[in-house]
Amino acid sequence: MTKISLYTTETRMADLIESNYNLLLLFPRFGLELGVGDNTIAEQCVRQGVSAHLFVMMCNIYSHADYMPTVAEIEQLDVEQLLDYLSRSHKYYVKSRLIPIGRQLNHISEYCASAHSTVLQRFFSEYEQEVMHHFNYEEETVFPYIRTLLTKYDMPTGYDIDTFKNNHSNIDDKLSDLKNIIVKHLRGVGMADDITELLFQICSLEEDLSRHTFIEDVVLIPMVQHLEKTIYDN
């Protein structure tokens, strides 16, 4: 992966993909398709009805560990498109990451000692339930609250984004525990290739979920706090 400076809306989409192929994983979360030609990010996003500013911000977050969006950058984002991106991400994590990892884990567990098999399956099942609870709370409580704010009528009472902020947990923490169980205690199975692939997928998901949590903490929450202040001060 070639090291480059921050992406902008004038970066060519093909250059972005060439510089960091992992960013291809963001395309379905925005509903973006390939066949980008020589279009810039701005041109391709306009063509497909996507906020170029939001897409660039997400690409920079996923590509640069020290990148921190400015207040001005956050305030110019389209709230509804951010919510749509986060909802698509939730579906992606469940369908394209958790379910395949669960299948791999079940397959490997068939060849493990029964004690190890039970621990692995129970641990992952509990983690899945925690993730689903986390996503469902956001989809059923947090996002509808934000959409109500956007209407600027029938204002909700008894809830604000700080409630979410104060209870927002990192759903990638337990993946680290699962990874350590596999690395330190799964022995004598004789499935090196399968276990290596499983670990790679867990590490990749752990990193992705860490960025997802960062987006909610650093982009979504400040954006909604600004929206609340604007509404309640008027």
Side-chain angles (χ1 to χ4, degrees), residues 11-15 35-44 47:
T11 302
R12 288 199 320 142
M13 191 69 91
D15 291 339
V36 299
D38 289 323
N39 290 340
T40 64
I41 290 174
E43 291 168 339
Q44 191 67 21
R47 175 176 294 183

Side-chain angles (χ1 to χ4, degrees), residues 194-206:
D194 296 280
I195 293 173
T196 299
E197 174 63 21
L198 174 63
L199 278 173
F200 180 84
Q201 293 302 328
I202 291 172
C203 292
S204 175
L205 177 58
E206 181 185 18

Side-chain angles (χ1 to χ4, degrees), residues 156-171:
T157 58
Y159 188 86
D160 57 31
I161 201 63
D162 282 345
T163 303
F164 171 60
K165 177 182 178 181
N166 294 334
N167 295 281
H168 194 214
S169 58
N170 291 331
I171 53 176

Side-chain angles (χ1 to χ4, degrees), residues 57 60-62 64-69 168 170 172 208-222:
M57 184 181 292
N60 282 324
I61 286 173
Y62 272 87
H64 304 278
D66 58 350
Y67 170 70
M68 180 69 67
H168 194 214
N170 291 331
D172 55 300
D208 200 326
L209 285 172
S210 176
R211 295 293 86 194
H212 182 78
T213 300
F214 177 88
I215 291 163
E216 292 180 334
D217 287 342
V218 174
V219 180
L220 178 67
I221 290 174

Side-chain angles (χ1 to χ4, degrees), residues 1-209:
M1 183 171 64
T2 305
K3 179 70 174 179
I4 71 165
S5 57
L6 290 178
Y7 304 111
T8 73
T9 57
E10 295 308 306
T11 302
R12 288 199 320 142
M13 191 69 91
D15 291 339
L16 176 139
I17 296 169
E18 179 66 23
S19 69
N20 185 356
Y21 63 87
N22 286 312
L23 295 179
L24 284 169
L25 298 177
L26 296 182
F27 275 54
R29 304 184 212 181
F30 281 95
L32 285 170
E33 298 178 354
L34 294 176
V36 299
D38 289 323
N39 290 340
T40 64
I41 290 174
E43 291 168 339
Q44 191 67 21
C45 285
V46 166
R47 175 176 294 183
Q48 298 188 245
V50 172
S51 167
H53 292 293
L54 178 60
F55 179 72
V56 166
M57 184 181 292
M58 297 303 104
C59 289
N60 282 324
I61 286 173
Y62 272 87
S63 299
H64 304 278
D66 58 350
Y67 170 70
M68 180 69 67
T70 67
V71 172
E73 288 172 333
I74 292 172
E75 290 180 357
Q76 72 173 318
L77 295 179
D78 182 290
V79 180
E80 191 59 56
Q81 285 215 11
L82 176 60
L83 296 182
D84 183 60
Y85 165 80
L86 293 173
S87 290
R88 286 175 181 259
S89 295
H90 292 166
K91 294 181 178 67
Y92 164 78
Y93 290 132
V94 173
K95 181 179 179 181
S96 299
R97 305 305 291 273
L98 284 174
I99 290 177
I101 287 174
R103 288 176 183 151
Q104 284 181 294
L105 197 59
N106 286 335
H107 173 63
I108 291 170
S109 295
E110 293 176 1
Y111 299 88
C112 294
S114 59
H116 288 156
S117 175
T118 300
V119 169
L120 286 172
Q121 291 181 322
R122 184 177 69 243
F123 194 97
F124 187 72
S125 176
E126 290 174 355
Y127 177 71
E128 275 190 307
Q129 292 175 27
E130 179 182 321
V131 169
M132 293 306 301
H133 175 75
H134 182 104
F135 289 166
N136 287 339
Y137 172 71
E138 293 179 358
E139 297 286 347
E140 297 171 7
T141 301
V142 181
F143 296 175
Y145 164 73
I146 297 170
R147 290 189 170 101
T148 301
L149 287 179
L150 292 174
T151 66
K152 299 185 181 179
Y153 64 85
D154 190 25
M155 298 301 294
T157 58
Y159 188 86
D160 57 31
I161 201 63
D162 282 345
T163 303
F164 171 60
K165 177 182 178 181
N166 294 334
N167 295 281
H168 194 214
S169 58
N170 291 331
I171 53 176
D172 55 300
D173 288 346
K174 280 192 176 180
L175 277 179
S176 181
D177 295 334
L178 177 61
K179 180 177 61 179
N180 287 332
I181 290 172
I182 295 171
V183 169
K184 295 181 179 180
H185 304 292
L186 201 62
R187 61 175 65 92
V189 179
M191 303 178 68
D193 289 346
D194 296 280
I195 293 173
T196 299
E197 174 63 21
L198 174 63
L199 278 173
F200 180 84
Q201 293 302 328
I202 291 172
C203 292
S204 175
L205 177 58
E206 181 185 18
E207 183 178 359
D208 200 326
L209 285 172

